[in-house]
Amino acid sequence: MAHAAGEGRRPPPGWRWIEVPFNLLRSVLTGRSLIVSSGPNEPLRQAQRTTGSLTRRMIGIAALWILVLLAGGGYALDRVLNTAMTRNFDAQLQYVLTAMIASAEIDPAGEVRFTRPLGDQRFLEPASGLYYQVAGAAHEPFRSRSLWDRALDTTAKHRDLAVHLYNSKQFSDEPLRIMERDLKLPGSPLMWRFQVAQARAGLDDQIAVLRRTLVRSFAILGLGLIVMSTLQAAFGLWPLRHVRREINAVRTGRRSRVDARLPIEIAPMVEELNDLLAHNERQAEEARTHAGNLAHALKTPLTVIMNEATANSDDLCKTVIREATTMRRQVDHHLARARAVGRRGAAQSVAQLWSSVEAVERAVGRLYPDVTIDMAGDRTVRARVERQDLDEMLGNLIENAAKYGGGRVFVAIGGDAGFAEAVIEDDGTGIPADQRQAIFERGVRLDTGKPGTGLGLAIVRDVAEIYGGTVALHESEDLGGLCVRLRLPALP
């Protein structure tokens, strides 16, 4: 039977157990994200895109640095040992050359002869690798028997009054190391060239053995150091994996905090994480409290409306309007608190008091054109509060001063002891001391002849407390009316 396209390439049943780890390993090495599942009953979630493995980065940097140091150290050590071995090799040639010069003399025929034979037996063995030669113009070179029918090259046009040392390939099958010197012997007007040569094979073999030993030793050392750095990185980063498991336990509800003992480098991060968890819990608890309070506040007006509607009361319209007004006040109040709680989490929230007072003064001035609003104080004071919440608090306070005052409002901006302060004074009748606390309750109004909901001061107090501030009522010493002092945490 014919198979569908691609069916013949279907992997065997057991291949899946190899394919999944292989794909995971490939994703780790290439930095690509996979769709992973936290459990059989949890939905698939997209893995976080990363910039690579911190462990691999640390191991890679350590391995690169180890290789650079070992390569540089190995090269330097190779140069030092190579130079030392070559210098020792040359010292032996120097010894033979000195012995040649010391035992050389001119015979009656004008030729060079040695007064005593050189002690090394290799000079007598043909092609032994150790040779000497003394040559002068118009004279047959005086050579060691080991050269046999060969001769060292003396055609170089230079005078070696000092010792001259060089490598030579004049024997195609035997590279040489040659030391030579030119000098005159007593009783001879000629310049004689003394040469001693030795095959480099032994020196090159020793250098090769040395280099193989160095390469193997440094390779083993480098491998050991890389393994050690791998273990160090794995062990050093192990607390991060522990933190990950602790966070997973918090996410799944098995723990409420990360309370494991951790190194001092990671402990501050975990403390910040715990503070963030506590902050989120407080916000969630506040949200539940607000929802409960709002539900409780709306329950009574709704019950009244339902009872009036069920009883077909003649005052149903008035009742609905009255209770709807009450519910609107409650909703406005709790919405203001909810907005302040939601914006409080932004630690970078900063507002300048002077700019906010100027904006509020322009708005209130249009509503109450007959009221004079004066401002004074420090223009640079800033508070840790959202600008919208600050405008709402100052707007309520300045509007109340304009509404219930006698036509003059004075706003002073300042700050001390880590707090920014706004003082709003008016020339009205003020509030008796025994009623100043009650005025902060929701819906309480001392002057019912003017429009309002009675929520202004209550909202100001609640929002100020959410940001860690306070609001207090006093008697104005200068204008004789009410003095409201709003204090909020200041930016240093």
Side-chain angles (χ1 to χ4, degrees), residues 22-193:
F22 174 77
N23 290 337
L24 180 60
L25 177 61
R26 182 176 60 184
S27 68
V28 170
L29 294 177
T30 58
R32 298 176 181 174
S33 59
L34 289 174
I35 301 296
V36 297
S37 175
S38 300
N41 298 323
E42 295 189 18
L44 294 175
R45 54 190 176 92
Q46 184 72 25
Q48 179 67 37
R49 295 180 63 87
T50 65
T51 58
S53 170
L54 185 60
T55 302
R56 290 201 301 269
R57 188 179 305 175
M58 294 175 63
I59 295 173
I61 293 174
L64 179 61
W65 186 239
I66 288 171
L67 292 178
V68 170
L69 290 180
L70 289 181
Y75 177 78
L77 185 59
D78 175 74
R79 291 292 87 200
V80 170
L81 295 179
N82 190 354
T83 301
M85 295 176 66
T86 304
R87 187 178 296 126
N88 182 63
F89 188 84
D90 295 341
Q92 297 178 12
L93 294 180
Q94 177 75 37
Y95 174 80
V96 174
L97 182 63
T98 302
M100 289 172 57
I101 296 174
S103 61
E105 66 176 9
I106 302 297
D107 64 7
E111 300 291 341
V112 173
R113 292 292 180 265
F114 291 157
T115 59
R116 60 180 181 272
L118 300 180
D120 199 317
Q121 183 67 24
R122 288 177 295 174
F123 287 123
L124 303 177
E125 300 174 1
S128 64
L130 183 61
Y131 317 104
Y132 71 77
Q133 176 178 292
V134 181
H139 288 270
E140 184 71 19
F142 176 53
R143 300 173 297 174
S144 64
R145 185 175 298 181
S146 56
L147 279 173
W148 199 246
D149 57 350
R150 298 180 297 183
L152 298 178
D153 186 14
T154 58
T155 59
K157 302 300 182 182
H158 60 268
R159 292 175 62 87
D160 297 324
L161 299 180
V163 174
H164 180 210
L165 186 64
Y166 60 94
N167 295 320
S168 173
K169 294 184 178 179
Q170 56 187 275
F171 296 167
S172 59
D173 58 341
E174 192 177 32
L176 299 176
R177 180 80 169 167
I178 300 177
M179 180 178 291
E180 60 186 27
R181 182 179 178 184
D182 294 344
L183 55 83
K184 290 183 178 181
L185 294 176
S188 175
L190 298 179
M191 184 69 69
W192 297 89
R193 176 165 293 180

Side-chain angles (χ1 to χ4, degrees), residues 352-376 379 387 390-403 407-413 424-425:
Q352 193 172 34
L353 268 66
W354 189 271
S355 299
S356 182
V357 171
E358 285 184 329
V360 171
E361 186 270 336
R362 288 192 294 268
V364 174
R366 288 192 291 267
L367 294 175
Y368 302 95
D370 297 332
V371 176
T372 301
I373 302 177
D374 297 320
M375 299 184 298
R379 296 172 178 262
R387 173 64 185 269
L390 181 61
D391 289 348
E392 186 171 1
M393 289 186 287
L394 291 175
N396 277 318
L397 296 178
I398 296 176
E399 183 180 0
N400 283 343
K403 182 190 300 184
R408 289 190 59 195
V409 177
F410 180 73
V411 182
I413 305 298
I424 299 95
E425 302 181 57

Side-chain angles (χ1 to χ4, degrees), residues 432-443:
D434 58 347
Q435 296 181 3
R436 290 172 186 168
Q437 187 62 32
I439 198 66
F440 284 107
E441 301 299 326
R442 295 190 296 271

